[in-house]
Amino acid sequence: MTPMKEDYLKIIFELGGSHKKVSNKEISLGLGIAAGSVTEMISKLADEGLVVHEPYSGISLTAKGQRYAAELVRKHRLWETFLVDKLHYNFADVHPEAEILEHQTSNRLATALDDFLDHPQNCPHGGVIPEANGHFPDVSHRLLADANDGEEVELERFLDNHELLTYLEELNLRPQDKVKVVRHEPFEGPIVITKDGNTQPVSVSYKAAHNIFIK
C-alpha cells in the first residue's frame, strides 16, 4: 500500500470513520488537498474494500480498513509519545519522524515500545492510542468550528498534521486547554477564542478549527 493511501486511512480514522460517515470536505481540510483529489483516492480505496462511500452521505471504514488504520495509528502515536517523553522532541516536530518510523515497526517492536512507555492511552496531541488488538475507546468527533458563540469547551485532540501542530504551538494551544468561543468571523473567517479565563483573544483559522476536536 502506498503512503498516500495510508494517510487517507489514518485521516478517516481520526475523523471518526470507524463510527460515523465523514465527508470529502473534512478529509480535504484534514489533508490540505483539493476535494477532487479526495474523490479519486476514495474510489481506489473503495475498490480495495477499505472504505465504503455512499454518495451524498459520506465515507466510512470497512472492518478491513479499520484494522489497517488502527495498526498504523497505534505505531505512529507510540513513536510520537516516545519522541516527546523520552527524547524531548518539541510537540509540533514529532509527526514527520513518526511517519517514517511507523513503516519500519513490526508488531513485536510496537508491543515492546508500548511496554517501555507503560501503555500510554494518548499521544502528545491528544489522539487515542489503539490497543494491539485494534480496540480503542470512542472519542469526541465534535469540532471547534461547530462550537457555539459563548460556549466553554475543552480541547480534546488535534489532527496529526505537522503544519497544524506547528500553528497551534505558535498559538500556545494544547489538548486539555479550556477555552471560550467568543465569535465566528463571517465568510469562513477565524474562530475567536479566549483561553483559561484569559481575556486576550486568540484567532484560530477556519481550517485549523476544523482539525481541532472538543468535548
Side-chain angles (χ1 to χ4, degrees):
M1 180 175 294
T2 66
M4 181 58 73
K5 288 181 180 179
E6 292 177 342
D7 286 344
Y8 270 82
L9 290 178
K10 287 190 293 183
I11 202 73
I12 296 168
F13 180 93
E14 285 200 77
L15 290 167
S18 298
H19 305 283
K20 68 183 185 75
K21 294 180 176 64
V22 300
S23 68
N24 277 33
K25 181 178 180 180
E26 289 177 298
I27 297 170
S28 174
L29 285 168
L31 292 175
I33 58 178
S37 299
V38 172
T39 301
E40 182 180 350
M41 180 59 79
I42 292 302
S43 295
K44 293 179 180 178
L45 294 174
D47 289 342
E48 295 179 28
L50 296 167
V51 304
V52 175
H53 182 204
E54 298 180 20
Y56 310 108
S57 180
I59 299 139
S60 58
L61 293 169
T62 63
K64 176 183 175 182
Q66 180 176 314
R67 284 194 302 271
Y68 202 99
E71 181 179 327
L72 286 169
V73 168
R74 169 179 166 78
K75 292 173 180 178
H76 186 97
R77 292 178 176 173
L78 284 171
W79 280 118
E80 287 190 327
T81 304
F82 174 81
L83 291 169
V84 170
D85 290 357
K86 304 302 180 182
L87 299 187
H88 311 297
Y89 266 61
N90 182 278
F91 165 84
D93 293 337
V94 294
H95 175 71
E97 302 279 18
E99 192 79 7
I100 296 169
L101 290 165
E102 72 183 58
H103 298 295
Q104 307 301 323
T105 303
S106 65
N107 291 335
R108 179 182 178 184
L109 177 55
T111 298
L113 186 59
D114 187 32
D115 290 342
F116 177 72
L117 294 170
D118 198 24
H119 312 293
Q121 296 185 354
N122 299 89
C123 71
H125 60 267
V128 67
I129 300 175
E131 297 175 7
N133 61 7
H135 177 266
F136 56 94
D138 195 14
V139 292
S140 172
H141 302 297
R142 190 178 181 216
L143 300 170
L144 177 61
D146 298 330
N148 300 314
D149 290 356
E151 187 177 0
E152 296 182 359
V153 300
E154 180 178 326
L155 307 183
E156 183 181 56
R157 60 191 175 93
F158 307 148
L159 279 191
D160 200 354
N161 176 287
H162 181 246
E163 181 183 1
L164 172 70
L165 297 176
T166 301
Y167 173 72
L168 296 177
E169 175 86 354
E170 293 171 354
L171 295 181
N172 195 30
L173 293 176
R174 293 292 182 94
Q176 301 182 358
D177 281 350
K178 293 178 172 59
V179 304
K180 181 176 181 179
V181 178
V182 178
R183 64 183 178 276
H184 293 63
E185 297 288 5
F187 299 105
E188 296 189 353
I191 285 77
V192 180
I193 64 173
T194 55
K195 176 183 170 183
D196 295 329
N198 193 323
T199 58
Q200 183 67 31
V202 177
S203 293
V204 180
S205 75
Y206 176 85
K207 179 180 177 180
H210 281 81
N211 292 335
I212 298 172
F213 295 87
I214 60 173
K215 62 179 180 180

